[in-house]
Amino acid sequence: INSTIAIMQRHDLVPGAIRTINVYVPRAAIDTVCEPSAPKYAPGDLATALFSAYYNVASAAIRRRHSLDELTPEALQDPEVLALARKVTYAIDAESTFPRQYSGAVEIVTLDGRTYSDREDVNKGSSEQPLSAAEVEAKFMDNACRVMTRERAEALMAAILQIDRVA
């Protein structure tokens, strides 16, 4: 997902210009995120979507992000995402370090024949590549604002950041 977003942003690609997207996943992950493929191409529920390489990569390519907003019932029915998901294929990642790291790669081929690739050897958010404080705060705010006002979320975050100072 991160590699897909990186390619889309770095090369300012538009989803309509994509011919194919190939994801490289660890062999051990195929039965979790790629197979069986039919329900994963068009996930009807959150559980299936969470474990669908096809849906998540297509959604990331179109929306250039991956958050809870991309996993709502409405988002799971987005015809643009579902059409692009059908262009996603997978291959075994020969360079995978799984299970030590959940590494992977993506290759995007455009309709005019250009090929772009990106690889994430150490997954973002792991102990070896942790989120920055700003990224954690932004993620907290994105999620908290789903259920409370921005002002309340900011106050809650401030309190949480001060928790180690509370006796």
Side-chain angles (χ1 to χ4, degrees):
I1 295 169
N2 294 336
S3 290
T4 300
I5 295 168
I7 292 169
M8 297 301 289
Q9 290 176 339
R10 188 178 310 127
H11 302 287
D12 198 26
L13 297 179
V14 295
I18 295 173
R19 177 180 294 146
T20 60
I21 301 175
N22 195 33
V23 296
Y24 295 86
V25 297
R27 179 183 301 277
I30 290 172
D31 289 340
T32 304
V33 299
C34 300
E35 297 294 341
S37 61
K40 293 183 185 299
Y41 275 117
D45 57 65
L46 175 61
T48 307
L50 284 170
F51 296 99
S52 170
Y54 311 105
Y55 174 81
N56 287 303
V57 166
S59 178
I62 290 169
R63 298 183 180 122
R64 297 183 182 201
R65 65 187 197 141
H66 188 66
S67 71
L68 292 176
D69 289 338
E70 283 68 57
L71 298 167
T72 64
E74 298 78 23
L76 297 182
Q77 297 174 19
D78 184 332
E80 185 180 16
V81 173
L82 298 176
L84 186 56
R86 289 283 176 192
K87 296 180 179 184
V88 177
T89 59
Y90 74 87
I92 295 169
D93 181 5
E95 299 176 40
S96 175
T97 59
F98 185 84
R100 189 170 33 99
Q101 293 294 335
Y102 207 114
S103 58
V106 173
E107 180 180 82
I108 297 177
V109 179
T110 61
L111 293 172
D112 63 7
R114 292 175 291 152
T115 300
Y116 302 100
S117 60
D118 191 78
R119 172 166 201 81
E120 186 172 70
D121 287 314
V122 178
N123 47 301
K124 186 77 171 166
S126 69
S127 60
E128 292 178 42
Q129 189 181 188
L131 297 174
S132 68
E135 289 169 318
V136 171
E137 290 175 13
K139 189 170 187 173
F140 173 85
M141 290 301 294
D142 284 346
N143 290 319
C145 287
R146 297 174 64 79
V147 295
M148 64 183 71
T149 65
R150 179 160 201 82
E151 295 77 25
R152 187 154 169 82
E154 287 171 348
L156 179 58
M157 184 170 67
I160 291 169
L161 290 173
Q162 298 294 322
I163 201 161
D164 62 330
R165 295 185 185 121
V166 176

